[in-house]
Amino acid sequence: MKNKISLTLISFLANFIMAGFASQFGMLIEPIAQYFNADVNSVAFIYSLLNGGALVGTILAFFLIDIIGIKRITLLSYILIVVSTLLLYLTNSLIILNICMSLIGLCGGVGLCIAGTIVVSIWQDKVQSTMLVVQDATFNIAGVIFPLITTYSLTHALSWASSYLTVGIIAVLMLVIIISTNFDLMVAPKVVKKQKNNQKSEWNFGILSAGLGLFLAMLALYTFLTWAPLFVSQKFAITFEDAGNIITQYWAAALIGALVSTVIVSRIKIHHFFITIILLAFVITIAIVNTQNLNCISYYTYCYGFVCSALYNSFVAYGVTFVKNASSKNVSFILVSGSAGAMFSPAISSLFQEYFGTQIIMNAIPAFYAIIIVMLVISQLLKRKK
């Protein structure tokens, strides 16, 4: 039982640490640009390296776990994260910053894959579902805590990397737990895995639109998280540090939303829930980008965080309803599409920001949701016709 608890704690910390690096980047674009005397668009691209590394790490983990062993690869990943975090705090080179963020993303992606593997391997039935929900909540808790640390650091003239250094300290704690934990409980169900690999995957517009929809949803969400502080700062002529509170507000609402959504989904059909949250996200983001009232921004952001808290898992649950027997390839397609959206968002948005300005890229966010709504309508019409 002691090992179960330790392994579960490792899975929670993996989400917590990755969220620590991902959740606050929008607040750090301007401080990093000033520190390295760089353009904000080139700095925003660094976020693509973080998310791109996470995408690659998630894919590599499937192969490396069997080759290296789960304990060794977990230990190696968090050693690299600790070293990279320390270099972030010490470096004056933008190239080193790029390399470190890529490594952190890569190792963090491996950690997220391991976190999911741990929960699925050692827990079953309702306890397993509960642990997966808590993992999502852990990610959102970090999204509340670390932006607060970032705000404190920036308002007290501390280094922009101070909050990242805090994440690194937690990674050191993670290393201690990994070293002292026995991973023998992690036994891969090889027979089940072979059956899933041999299972033929069914493809149709519904499952494909779920993948494309999640790509667009992550594109919209990470565009918001990356550029919202700068957008609010410019539009309402307030300090960048004060505008950064919008990120904390988003994650605070997402934490509550993740817990509430779990209860709601257990009581209503997934497609009713899913279509509702997409429509709400569309309406709320229109309000955010067009309001002229600074006070309303906070309320709209809380609503947006609450609504988007369950987007990722909802796309998976909705997409697989279009196939009789969902295969691992169906699920992987949707998840990889979401990771790709998160990865490309900063690069795409920074390119448009350079040519069209912050207001235009923020206006693109509800447009992405509008495209998703159109695809949902087409999917439902095709499903009824079939």
Side-chain angles (χ1 to χ4, degrees):
M1 190 62 185
K2 181 181 177 182
N3 276 334
K4 270 194 173 184
I5 294 172
S6 296
L7 287 167
T8 304
L9 182 58
I10 288 170
S11 74
F12 292 165
L13 284 175
N15 282 268
F16 191 79
I17 289 169
M18 191 59 192
F21 288 109
S23 61
Q24 52 187 309
F25 196 84
M27 302 172 67
L28 293 173
I29 288 179
E30 191 173 276
I32 292 174
Q34 291 175 352
Y35 183 82
F36 289 98
N37 194 26
D39 182 72
V40 291
N41 295 296
S42 61
V43 173
F45 180 74
I46 297 172
Y47 200 25
S48 285
L49 297 177
L50 179 70
N51 287 321
L55 174 61
V56 174
T58 303
I59 296 170
L60 286 178
F62 288 105
F63 306 99
L64 296 179
I65 287 174
D66 292 332
I67 296 171
I68 301 176
I70 191 164
K71 182 167 184 175
R72 289 193 188 95
I73 192 174
T74 308
L75 192 62
L76 176 62
S77 295
Y78 287 93
I79 288 173
L80 288 174
I81 285 177
V82 170
V83 173
S84 298
T85 305
L86 185 60
L87 287 175
L88 284 181
Y89 188 77
L90 298 175
T91 188
N92 291 313
S93 169
L94 198 58
I95 295 175
I96 298 296
L97 174 63
N98 290 340
I99 294 172
C100 289
M101 292 300 276
S102 299
L103 273 175
I104 289 169
L106 179 70
C107 296
V110 171
L112 290 178
C113 186
I114 290 169
T117 304
I118 287 174
V119 171
V120 171
S121 298
I122 67 175
W123 299 107
Q124 289 79 38
D125 303 324
K126 289 184 179 180
V127 178
Q128 184 185 96
S129 301
T130 302
M131 292 299 174
L132 289 171
V133 170
V134 175
Q135 274 191 351
D136 287 339
T138 304
F139 198 96
N140 292 324
I141 289 170
V144 175
I145 293 174
F146 289 110
L148 287 174
I149 296 174
T150 301
T151 301
Y152 179 86
S153 300
L154 297 178
T155 54
H156 288 77
L158 299 177
S159 169
W160 65 268
S162 297
S163 54
Y164 281 165
L165 190 63
T166 308
V167 185
I169 293 170
I170 295 171
V172 172
L173 173 63
M174 176 82 143
L175 287 175
V176 174
I177 299 172
I178 293 168
I179 292 169
S180 59
T181 300
N182 188 339
F183 280 70
D184 289 345
L185 285 171
M186 304 293 299
V187 179
K190 294 182 180 179
V191 176
V192 175
K193 188 180 286 186
K194 283 183 180 179
Q195 290 175 348
K196 287 186 176 180
N197 288 337
N198 293 330
Q199 182 181 347
K200 290 184 178 180
S201 302
E202 181 184 348
W203 300 98
N204 52 46
F205 183 80
I207 194 78
L208 294 174
S209 65
L212 180 57
L214 185 55
F215 175 85
L216 292 173
M218 292 300 103
L219 203 64
L221 176 57
Y222 281 90
T223 296
F224 175 84
L225 293 175
T226 303
W227 296 105
L230 187 62
F231 168 73
V232 174
S233 174
Q234 291 176 347
K235 185 169 184 176
F236 297 100
I238 61 175
T239 65
F240 189 80
E241 290 77 14
D242 289 338
N245 288 328
I246 194 172
I247 303 300
T248 305
Q249 292 161 358
Y250 171 87
W251 288 109
L255 171 59
I256 300 170
L259 301 175
V260 174
S261 296
T262 306
V263 178
I264 296 174
V265 170
S266 66
R267 298 176 185 276
I268 68 172
K269 291 183 178 180
I270 183 62
H271 68 273
H272 290 152
F273 172 78
F274 181 65
I275 292 171
T276 300
I277 62 175
I278 293 296
L279 285 170
L280 287 173
F282 172 66
V283 173
I284 293 167
T285 50
I286 286 179
I288 289 174
V289 298
N290 290 293
T291 185
Q292 301 300 319
N293 189 328
L294 178 59
N295 294 325
C296 288
I297 285 284
S298 296
Y299 296 115
Y300 293 146
T301 302
Y302 281 124
C303 293
Y304 187 47
F306 186 87
V307 165
C308 288
S309 60
L311 263 186
Y312 213 94
N313 290 329
S314 295
F315 267 101
V316 177
Y318 178 78
V320 298
T321 61
F322 289 92
V323 294
K324 291 181 180 179
N325 296 302
S327 70
S328 59
K329 289 182 180 179
N330 294 139
V331 176
S332 296
F333 165 71
I334 299 173
L335 292 177
V336 170
S337 297
S339 297
M343 179 184 76
F344 289 118
S345 176
I348 294 172
S349 61
S350 62
L351 180 65
F352 278 88
Q353 196 274 345
E354 183 178 0
Y355 289 100
F356 302 108
T358 310
Q359 179 69 51
I360 295 297
I361 60 169
M362 291 296 289
N363 282 331
I365 295 174
F368 290 141
Y369 287 114
I371 296 171
I372 296 171
I373 291 169
V374 172
M375 289 194 298
L376 292 181
V377 172
I378 295 173
S379 298
Q380 289 298 314
L381 290 175
L382 291 175
K383 190 176 182 180
R384 290 179 182 177
K385 185 177 180 181
K386 185 178 178 181

